[in-house]
Amino acid sequence: MADAKNEAVENLESAIEELMTEEVEIDLTEEEPVDELAALRAERDEFKDRFMRALADAENTRKRGERDRREAEQYGGSKLARDMLPVYDNMKRALEAAGEAGDGAKALVEGVELTMRSLLNIFEKHGIRLLAPEVGDKFDPEVHEAMFEAPVPGTKSGDIIQVMGEGFMLHDRLLRPAQVGVSSTPK
């Protein structure tokens, strides 16, 4: 990225230097001064065009570099975020299992709940949003992954009938789709 920017700036500088150092001989004899002047104007216009193109190239390189920097800043941690999602899943399963076990593990449950809240706060701080569809929502292939399809009376085709796993977004990019069961046309 920096090399392309430096190259564009060097091209611009060399075009300017060429314009400044080129010696132009003007021979305004009576034999065709108009043609000589037209040739000089054409050459000037060519140099001006090259200069403007080099300037535009440098500006485009600057804009591309800025866009790349913003994307790296915003999405650079997506691999780490993806690797953290199974931690969330395991903690959620631990909470569900502990809730079924009864009061014997109350302190453990509180500790896991506290850790889960902390993890979700960190996710939120870094732009990771939880996608938690509910039964009855419409299936959206952009953010949901259909794990199965089944005809269920009382539902419309494309309704979510079961949620097997939550999904996550990193800013506006999908990290992991929510895993759902979808209603097909009831028979």
Side-chain angles (χ1 to χ4, degrees), residues 86-99:
V87 173
Y88 171 84
D89 293 337
N90 290 334
M91 290 178 64
K92 185 169 181 162
R93 279 192 283 277
L95 283 172
E96 289 169 356

Side-chain angles (χ1 to χ4, degrees), residues 74-75 81 120-130 168-173 175:
Q74 204 169 35
Y75 301 111
L120 288 173
N121 288 337
I122 291 170
F123 279 179
E124 186 178 320
K125 177 181 171 185
H126 292 282
I128 301 171
R129 257 186 318 119
L130 179 67
F168 291 89
M169 298 282 289
L170 176 60
H171 300 288
D172 60 344
R173 289 188 182 169
L175 277 177

Side-chain angles (χ1 to χ4, degrees), residues 38-184:
L40 288 173
R41 284 186 176 143
E43 190 175 358
R44 176 201 63 195
D45 291 345
E46 179 186 337
F47 282 126
K48 184 178 178 183
D49 182 57
R50 286 176 54 193
F51 171 75
M52 295 305 286
R53 288 179 189 272
L55 197 61
D57 204 25
E59 181 64 17
N60 289 339
T61 302
R62 184 192 65 75
K63 286 179 182 177
R64 185 173 32 257
E66 179 65 23
R67 184 187 64 233
D68 290 347
R69 183 197 60 76
R70 273 193 319 271
E71 280 188 11
E73 184 179 291
Q74 204 169 35
Y75 301 111
S78 62
K79 186 171 176 14
L80 173 65
R82 236 180 242 108
D83 291 344
M84 290 296 293
L85 298 181
V87 173
Y88 171 84
D89 293 337
N90 290 334
M91 290 178 64
K92 185 169 181 162
R93 279 192 283 277
L95 283 172
E96 289 169 356
E100 296 170 3
D103 290 334
K106 187 174 181 180
L108 176 65
V109 170
E110 288 176 10
V112 173
E113 285 175 343
L114 184 63
T115 307
M116 178 69 99
R117 279 195 302 272
S118 176
L119 180 63
L120 288 173
N121 288 337
I122 291 170
F123 279 179
E124 186 178 320
K125 177 181 171 185
H126 292 282
I128 301 171
R129 257 186 318 119
L130 179 67
L131 294 176
E134 295 183 11
V135 172
D137 289 351
K138 264 305 205 193
F139 175 76
D140 180 0
E142 296 289 321
V143 295
H144 300 137
E145 179 181 7
M147 302 305 288
F148 69 90
E149 193 174 33
V152 176
T155 63
K156 295 181 215 162
S157 180
D159 284 351
I160 294 175
I161 55 174
Q162 184 178 356
V163 178
M164 278 116 19
E166 296 161 329
F168 291 89
M169 298 282 289
L170 176 60
H171 300 288
D172 60 344
R173 289 188 182 169
L174 186 66
L175 277 177
R176 181 177 77 188
Q179 298 174 331
V180 297
V182 183
S183 174
S184 62

Side-chain angles (χ1 to χ4, degrees), residues 6-25:
N6 289 339
E7 184 179 330
V9 170
E10 287 174 14
N11 288 343
L12 179 62
E13 289 173 351
S14 67
I16 291 171
E17 187 176 321
E18 193 174 320
L19 283 172
M20 300 300 279
T21 59
E22 187 170 306
E23 292 184 21
V24 178
E25 293 183 23

Side-chain angles (χ1 to χ4, degrees), residues 23-29 33 36-37 40:
E23 292 184 21
V24 178
E25 293 183 23
I26 302 175
D27 182 18
L28 297 177
T29 61
E36 182 82 23
L37 191 57
L40 288 173

